[in-house]
Every structure is written in structure tokens, then in C-alpha cells.
Amino acid sequence: MIFTIPRPCPELLWREGAYLTPAELSSLLEDCTGHTVEDTTDEEGDQIFYIRTPGGERLEDGYPFVDIETVEDLVGWRIDEALASADS
């Protein structure tokens, strides 16, 4: 018999410094800021990411991002700030 252990919630993964999938990062970012992460492919079939505003528009200034780590670098402080605010 094979047992599957469910992944912890994105907030707990973030706090522990674990890898988040694009969907998990998008969910956490939306909970914290209203923004989301769009996971798509470019013309060559390579995975790319956009950040979408709460209104659904893509942020276009120098984007798309070619890896999820770059997205995390950009939005991480916003997530940290929102989580710290929720803790106090």
C-alpha cells in the first residue's frame, strides 16, 4: 500500500524556506497581496511567469520572468510583510 503525505499549506512552506510550486506561490501571494502568478510558456515552449495585479492585468515592466525563484525574489518581501502583520 502506498501512502501519500499531503504537502503543508503554502504559508508554512514559505515560513520554512521550502520550495513552492508556481501554483503554491500564486496562492500565497494572492492571500497576502491580491496579486497572482501566471505560469505559462513562451513561443519556444519554455516556462515563463508573469505577475498579475488584483485586477487581472499583467505587470509588463521588464517581464516575463524565466524562473520562479526570480518571482520569489521580487515578491518575497511583500509576503513576509503580510505574514508578519498577520502574526502581530
Side-chain angles (χ1 to χ4, degrees):
M1 184 177 288
I2 297 175
F3 294 97
T4 303
I5 299 172
R7 281 180 63 83
C9 70
E11 178 184 337
L12 180 59
L13 292 170
W14 180 265
R15 289 178 188 267
E16 294 298 320
Y19 172 80
L20 272 72
T21 66
E24 290 168 336
L25 180 60
S26 183
S27 172
L28 181 59
L29 184 62
E30 185 171 21
D31 289 347
C32 292
T33 69
H35 290 71
T36 57
V37 177
E38 177 186 356
D39 179 2
T40 190
T41 55
D42 63 12
E43 301 82 30
E44 290 84 37
D46 296 324
Q47 188 175 31
I48 57 173
F49 305 96
Y50 290 94
I51 296 176
R52 289 195 171 267
T53 66
E57 299 85 28
R58 283 180 178 169
L59 295 180
E60 298 289 346
D61 188 24
Y63 308 101
F65 298 98
V66 295
D67 58 58
I68 197 68
E69 290 80 13
T70 306
V71 176
E72 288 177 352
D73 289 344
L74 179 72
V75 301
W77 70 271
R78 291 179 177 97
I79 293 172
D80 291 338
E81 190 175 81
L83 293 177
S85 173
D87 288 343
S88 53

